[in-house]
Amino acid sequence: MLKVDRSKITSQQVEAFQRDGVICVKNVLDDIWVERMRTAVDKNALIPGPLEVKGIPKSNGHVEHSSSLWLTDADFRALAFESPLATLAAQVLKSEKLNFLTDGFFVKKPKTNSRVGWHNDLPYWPIQGWQCCKIWLALDSVNQENGRLEYIKASHRWGKELREGSNPSWFVEPEPQEILSWDMEPGDCLVHHFLTIHHSVTNISSTQRRAVVTNWTGDDITYYHRPKAWPFRPVEEIDLPELNSFKAKKPGEPIDCDIFPRVELHH
């Protein structure tokens, strides 16, 4: 079991997360962490990730993405289990228990059609429950020009799942006053609920925009089989020993397993 010290963010920030479904927390990580993760992202952007098919070159898309890097990369593992991020997740989730789902990175290339459509995250995970969040860590300055995220305020309270491009009849593009977004500096974090609907705008600037994400769950989360969810390939095709305990999961069971490790929190 992995251990992390528990500290505090403000009660107002926790309340804002519960109310709005997303908060921006400034200066979560210092310059040393930021530079370390920039180097790790730049390195891993060139090679297949642990869940990807080996021997196939990475596609040259407008948004570079990879996930589950903590399984093979020491820097990503340290970010999950040695940085302040786990503490932040436990605080916003108001949870006594914390599991780490996985990490990932997104690199938006400059001057490309790199928009990501409206969606929320829960449909992409084999889980059910309420206490779940993503922490989106900025490694570069983030603004309207280079692809910032925008959230529909309090949309996590709708209780509806939205996959990108699914266009259900109930979803209508939001009015501007319903949108929450922030300009960010390296080391700042967005924390959003898995049901908060969001998108990201196109990077029209001349520089790339890099971010690292970590995904966390709390007390009430259990396993739930979802088609077309993580790991997005049949588990039998992925040669990772950490997946063995995941394969035996039954619906309604706690998600604790080698691939979704539990983090011990000190009080």
Side-chain angles (χ1 to χ4, degrees):
M1 190 177 289
L2 299 149
K3 298 182 179 181
V4 64
D5 287 329
R6 178 184 280 246
S7 60
K8 294 289 184 182
I9 59 172
T10 68
S11 59
Q12 289 85 355
Q13 287 172 305
V14 175
E15 290 168 7
F17 174 81
Q18 301 288 330
R19 180 188 67 238
D20 299 336
V22 59
I23 56 174
C24 183
V25 187
K26 299 292 187 179
N27 301 312
V28 177
L29 296 188
D30 62 22
D31 292 345
I32 296 173
W33 269 114
V34 168
E35 192 55 43
R36 180 178 181 180
M37 296 315 301
R38 284 172 175 165
T39 301
V41 167
D42 293 347
K43 176 181 68 176
N44 283 281
L46 303 174
I47 57 178
L51 300 183
E52 297 172 32
V53 179
K54 303 296 185 288
I56 297 179
K58 291 183 75 73
S59 61
N60 188 27
H62 300 319
V63 182
E64 294 177 347
H65 172 61
S66 193
S67 68
S68 301
L69 296 147
W70 71 277
L71 294 167
T72 55
D73 185 282
D75 295 317
F76 276 89
R77 185 175 179 85
L79 181 72
F81 305 120
E82 299 173 21
S83 81
L85 297 187
T87 295
L88 177 59
Q91 292 299 309
V92 297
L93 295 177
K94 295 184 176 180
S95 186
E96 294 301 314
K97 174 189 173 186
L98 190 69
N99 286 78
F100 177 66
L101 290 188
T102 197
D103 56 28
F105 66 78
F106 293 91
V107 179
K108 277 202 170 192
K109 298 180 180 179
K111 297 187 180 299
T112 57
N113 183 21
S114 54
R115 180 180 183 270
V116 176
W118 291 106
H119 69 283
N120 53 21
D121 294 344
L122 189 59
Y124 300 96
W125 290 102
I127 63 169
Q128 60 185 355
W130 180 251
Q131 289 167 292
C132 47
C133 72
K134 171 172 284 176
I135 300 178
W136 193 96
L137 165 67
L139 298 181
D140 300 297
S141 296
V142 178
N143 53 50
Q144 178 70 31
E145 286 68 42
N146 73 352
R148 73 181 181 191
L149 275 67
E150 299 182 338
Y151 296 85
I152 303 179
K153 184 177 181 179
S155 55
H156 65 313
R157 295 288 179 180
W158 299 352
K160 292 183 177 291
E161 298 182 13
L162 181 64
R163 283 180 174 264
E164 184 182 4
S166 59
N167 298 317
S169 59
W170 59 265
F171 181 69
V172 179
E173 293 260 348
E175 296 293 330
Q177 65 268 21
E178 299 170 324
I179 298 293
L180 295 174
S181 63
W182 292 267
D183 288 351
M184 303 170 69
E185 294 303 322
D188 296 348
C189 286
L190 297 168
V191 188
H192 71 250
H193 192 278
F194 273 14
L195 280 174
T196 307
I197 296 173
H198 57 285
H199 76 165
S200 65
V201 300
T202 295
N203 183 0
I204 62 173
S205 77
S206 59
T207 58
Q208 66 179 347
R209 189 225 67 189
R210 294 166 292 183
V212 169
V213 295
T214 51
N215 299 275
W216 309 88
T217 66
D219 298 325
D220 72 337
I221 298 297
T222 57
Y223 173 72
Y224 179 69
H225 175 71
R226 294 175 184 272
K228 300 180 181 179
W230 183 98
F232 309 110
R233 290 172 56 202
V235 292
E236 295 77 17
E237 296 180 4
I238 304 173
D239 185 21
L240 284 174
E242 290 87 354
L243 276 171
N244 292 335
S245 56
F246 171 75
K247 294 175 185 176
K249 285 291 172 191
K250 295 180 174 57
E253 291 183 345
I255 65 167
D256 304 46
C257 60
D258 293 339
I259 201 74
F260 297 149
R262 186 167 173 174
V263 182
E264 183 178 347
L265 298 166
H266 296 295
H267 297 274

